[in-house]
Amino acid sequence: MVFGLTACGGGNSGSSDGAGSTDAEQSTDDGADATGSTDDSGESAEAPAAASGEKILSVQVGPDPETIDPALNSAVDGGNMLLHSFECLLTVDEDGKLAPGQAESWETSEDGLTWTFHLREGLKWSDGTDLTANDFVYSWKRVCDPMVAAPYAETVLAMVVGYDQAIEGDLDALQVVAEDDQTLVVTLSAPCSYFGSLAAFATLSPVQQATIEANGDAWATSAETYISNGPFYVSEWVPGSYILMSKNPNYWNADAIKLDGIKWNLIEDANASYSAYQTGEVLFIKDVPTEEIPSLSGNADFYVDPIIGTYYLSVNTEREPFNDPKVRKALSLAIDREYVAGTLMQGTYSAASNFMGPGWIDTDGSQFIDNANGGQPYIDVTNYEANLEEAKQLLADAGYPDGEGFPSISYSTNDAGYHRVVAEYLQQAWGELGIDLTVDIVEWASFTPMRRNGDYDSARNGWVGDYSDPSNMLDLLYSTNGNNDGNFNNADYDAAMETSRTTLDAKERSEALHTAEDILMEETGCIPVAYYNDFWLQSDKITGSWHSPYGYWYFMYADIADGAGADNADNAEADNADNAEADNADNAEADNAEAEVAE
C-alpha cells in the first residue's frame, strides 16, 4: 500500500506540464458529508443515448448519494463523484504522492506556519467563468460557517489561525487570504505536517459563490446549478437512476482527458449491479453480491485491495444504558471478530483488535499499530471464549446480570455487502448476554443523517482514511467533531488530541495520539470490528484507472479499449430502463467517512 502523508518541511513546490495524472481526494469522508434528491416514483428513467463512438464509461459505486456538496459529503460514494467533478489546490497521484492541482506550485515557511499556493493562470469554472484564489477563500470560510454545519470543518481547518472565531460566525477571522488572483496564503496556528494532504481533500474544493447564493443548498442537487471545476461536470441527473458527467472543456488539463463522460449508475441493489455488469451495461461495480464472492475469487476481473480504515459500531453514549462504559465494553467483548471477518465476511476483511489498524503512520514513519498499547492488541481476537466471560461479568457489574433488567435495544444499518449478516450475528452474540436486539434496516439516503442526528441505539459505522496521519480517524471521537456519531465525550481524550494538534515535538505528538487510543479503547467510545479491504468487479476494457488506499477509484484519466465505447453507447439507453426498479432496492454500500470515511 502507498500512503499519501507528506511532511511540510520547506520547499514543497511542484509544477506540471499538463500530462501527469492528477486527482482530488474526497473525503468525507469525509468525509465530508444540499442533499441529493431521491426518486420515489418507482418509474424507470431512460439514460441518454450517447453519440456514435462517444466514450462514456458506465460504472456503479453506490446508490443516490446523500450529498455531493463538497462541504457536506462524508461518504465514499459521494467522494468518488467529487474527485471527478472538483479539483482542490493539490491532488494525490497514482503513487499516493501530493501533486499540483489548481495550484501549480506551493511552499511552506521555515517555521511551517505559512503555506503559500500559486494557482495556475486562466483557471475556469465549468460554466466558463474565471476561477481565482478568492474562490478558495470563500469556499474555505463556508466550511467553517455554523449555518452550513460541515462535518469535516474541525478536521480540515482547526489548525488555521482564526478557526475558533470562524465557527462562531466570524468567518473573516479565518486566516486564508488571496494576495492576488493567483496567490493564496494560509496561516496556521501550529505546524501541521499533513496540511498538504488537507489541501488535496474534497471538503476544501472550491465552490462557486454566486451559484450557492442564488440557489441555496439546492445548488448541489441539480445538473443545471451544479457548477464545478474538475475534469468532468454534471450534465444530467436523474435521481434514483444515474448521474452523467461530461468532459469539462474548461478544465486546465482537458487535453489529457480521454473519456467523453462517466455515467454513475445509482443502483442500490447489489444483484442488480451484478446483472448490469454481466450484460456489459456497466464496466465496473463496487457493490458485488456477497454470495457470488466464492465463485468470483481468482477471476481476472475480481479485485481485492487493502485500504486504511475500520468497520466499527457506534453506540449512542447519550442514551442509557450506553452511557455506562462497562455496558459498552461488554457489548464489544461479546463479538467474535475472527468469526465475523473470516466467516461472515468470507475473509475479505480482517479481525480488528484495535481501533487504528494497519496503514496508519506514526510520527517516526513506523506503523502506528505496532506502537499501540505497548505492542499488544487491545482485544485478543483469538480468545473469544475468555472475552465472552469478561463481557458477562462486566454486564453484571453494570447491574444487568445475565441481561436482567437490560432494555430491548435496536441496531440500525443499511443493507449492503455484509451489513445485514453482521446485524443478524449481533442478535445472536448479544443474545449470549441476555440482551434482546432488534435490527432496523434503513435505506442509504436516510441512514447517515439518522446516525449523525443520534436517532439510534447502536448502528453500523466505518471510516476509510483520507490521509495516513492517525489524527484523521482519532479526531472522529473528539467531543465536538461533526462525525462523532456516538457523541463520545471524554475530557482526557480531548486533552490528548489537543496536545497532538499543538505540540512541535514528534515524540510527544505520538504519545498523545497513542494515549487517545488507550482512552478510547478503555472507555469503548466505539466498537471496532474489522479492518477494511475493497473488493469490486472491473472489466479489462477499462485502462488507465487506479484504486487508492483511501477507498477511491480514479477514472478521470481512464480510457475504454477499442470497441467498448461503442458498446457502451449502444447499451446506454438500456442501462437504467432495464434496471430502474432494481436501482432503488435494498442494498447500499455505506462506507465513510463514513467515512467513511467514514464509509
Side-chain angles (χ1 to χ4, degrees):
M1 249 188 329
V2 179
F3 306 105
L5 176 65
T6 302
C8 71
N12 273 347
S13 62
S15 62
S16 174
D17 60 8
S21 295
T22 64
D23 53 80
E25 245 195 78
Q26 104 153 4
S27 103
T28 211
D29 247 304
D30 296 98
D33 294 286
T35 348
S37 49
T38 18
D39 180 9
D40 296 322
S41 67
E43 297 178 2
S44 60
E46 291 189 356
S52 177
E54 205 171 41
K55 291 183 178 179
I56 307 295
L57 177 60
S58 188
V59 302
Q60 182 273 337
V61 298
D64 282 283
E66 179 196 354
T67 177
I68 50 173
D69 182 331
L72 298 177
N73 177 67
S74 62
V76 172
D77 56 346
N80 267 279
M81 296 176 190
L82 287 173
L83 65 85
H84 291 81
S85 54
F86 284 90
E87 184 173 86
C88 295
L89 289 168
L90 307 183
T91 65
V92 180
D93 66 18
E94 186 172 0
D95 296 322
K97 305 293 185 183
L98 284 178
Q102 296 284 282
E104 61 183 354
S105 65
W106 68 101
E107 66 266 352
T108 62
S109 59
E110 188 173 343
D111 61 7
L113 296 179
T114 304
W115 287 64
T116 304
F117 300 91
H118 303 283
L119 275 65
R120 303 174 188 277
E121 291 189 10
L123 291 173
K124 302 284 186 182
W125 292 103
S126 57
D127 64 359
T129 57
D130 292 338
L131 187 156
T132 71
N134 282 300
D135 291 305
F136 282 93
V137 173
Y138 165 76
S139 304
W140 289 24
K141 288 180 178 179
R142 177 176 178 259
V143 170
C144 293
D145 190 340
M147 299 302 292
V148 174
Y152 255 115
E154 184 172 305
T155 299
V156 298
L157 291 173
M159 69 292 296
V160 177
V161 172
Y163 169 79
D164 290 339
Q165 296 96 316
I167 59 170
E168 294 297 325
D170 182 9
L171 301 183
D172 289 337
L174 193 73
Q175 290 304 295
V176 179
V177 177
E179 288 194 344
D180 55 48
D181 284 352
Q182 268 74 52
T183 310
L184 185 75
V185 179
V186 183
T187 306
L188 308 185
S189 54
C192 177
S193 62
Y194 56 91
F195 191 72
S197 294
L198 298 179
F201 184 45
T203 300
L204 296 182
S205 299
V207 291
Q208 192 180 68
Q209 183 175 0
T211 294
I212 293 175
E213 290 179 347
N215 298 280
D217 290 344
W219 80 274
T221 64
S222 168
E224 288 71 29
T225 56
Y226 195 73
I227 306 301
S228 60
N229 74 318
F232 297 88
Y233 70 95
V234 175
S235 53
E236 294 187 43
W237 189 341
V238 180
S241 186
Y242 65 88
I243 293 175
L244 180 67
M245 290 186 185
S246 297
K247 178 179 176 177
N248 177 10
N250 294 304
Y251 178 57
W252 68 268
N253 201 19
D255 289 347
I257 307 301
K258 303 175 183 67
L259 296 173
D260 295 300
I262 301 175
K263 182 180 171 204
W264 307 90
N265 295 271
L266 306 177
I267 305 175
E268 192 161 2
D269 177 57
N271 290 307
S273 297
Y274 187 52
S275 176
Y277 182 81
Q278 287 181 305
T279 62
E281 293 169 10
V282 299
L283 298 183
F284 170 101
I285 62 169
K286 179 186 178 187
D287 292 334
V288 180
T290 56
E291 63 270 17
E292 300 293 340
I293 288 175
S295 64
L296 292 172
S297 296
N299 286 15
D301 59 349
F302 180 65
Y303 295 80
V304 179
D305 207 21
I307 55 178
I308 54 172
T310 301
Y311 186 112
Y312 64 91
L313 315 181
S314 286
V315 291
N316 194 335
T317 62
E318 292 187 338
R319 289 186 181 179
E320 293 185 355
F322 309 110
N323 57 345
D324 187 339
K326 294 188 182 72
V327 169
R328 300 195 297 262
K329 193 168 187 177
L331 294 175
S332 175
L333 290 174
I335 297 171
D336 186 347
R337 289 162 169 81
E338 286 204 329
Y339 174 74
V340 171
T343 301
L344 296 182
M345 295 175 165
Q346 302 179 82
T348 57
Y349 288 37
S350 306
S353 59
N354 299 19
F355 182 57
M356 306 297 295
W360 299 98
I361 305 302
D362 215 329
T363 57
D364 63 357
S366 63
Q367 290 278 317
F368 189 82
I369 193 172
D370 293 341
N371 305 322
N373 197 34
Q376 298 298 314
Y378 291 101
I379 301 170
D380 183 357
V381 299
T382 66
N383 201 352
Y384 167 65
E385 295 300 329
N387 291 340
L388 180 59
E389 289 306 310
E390 184 180 352
K392 291 178 178 178
Q393 185 59 54
L394 283 166
L395 202 63
D397 293 344
Y400 306 102
D402 298 320
E404 293 178 14
F406 200 94
S408 178
I409 62 174
S410 65
Y411 177 79
S412 301
T413 183
N414 60 305
D415 188 2
Y418 301 107
H419 302 331
R420 183 184 287 269
V421 294
V422 170
E424 292 168 350
Y425 166 75
L426 290 175
Q427 289 181 302
Q428 171 193 331
W430 291 350
E432 293 286 332
L433 302 178
I435 295 173
D436 179 40
L437 178 70
T438 58
V439 173
D440 181 21
I441 302 295
V442 184
E443 68 174 11
W444 174 232
S446 303
F447 179 59
T448 52
M450 177 204 72
R451 193 177 58 198
R452 190 178 303 116
N453 293 333
D455 298 330
Y456 71 95
D457 288 336
S458 59
R460 183 203 67 76
N461 212 328
W463 193 261
V464 177
D466 307 300
Y467 44 91
S468 60
D469 189 85
S471 65
N472 180 233
M473 201 157 90
L474 289 169
D475 268 340
L476 298 176
L477 281 300
Y478 190 85
S479 59
T480 58
N481 190 286
N483 289 303
N484 183 5
D485 294 340
N487 297 308
F488 179 65
N489 191 336
N490 182 283
D492 292 335
Y493 186 90
D494 284 0
M497 292 306 298
E498 284 291 344
T499 298
S500 76
R501 294 172 180 176
T502 57
T503 182
L504 303 182
D505 183 271
K507 182 178 180 183
E508 184 181 25
R509 182 169 190 268
S510 174
E511 290 173 351
L513 292 168
H514 285 294
T515 296
E517 188 179 21
D518 291 342
I519 295 167
L520 174 63
M521 293 301 295
E522 179 59 32
E523 295 291 307
T524 317
C526 66
I527 300 174
V529 175
Y531 302 133
Y532 280 118
N533 290 314
D534 267 336
F535 52 93
W536 70 95
L537 283 166
Q538 178 174 326
S539 168
D540 61 6
K541 293 179 180 179
I542 302 175
T543 62
S545 69
W546 70 88
H547 174 253
S548 84
Y550 308 114
Y552 301 113
W553 288 268
Y554 292 78
F555 300 118
M556 63 279 292
Y557 293 100
D559 201 354
I560 304 175
D562 289 345
D567 290 344
N568 230 28
D570 292 340
N571 286 324
E573 200 161 307
D575 273 359
N576 284 285
D578 291 344
N579 291 310
E581 290 196 12
D583 277 0
N584 284 300
D586 294 324
N587 294 328
E589 178 54 57
D591 304 308
N592 247 105
E594 252 142 3
E596 185 297 285
V597 173
E599 338 175 165

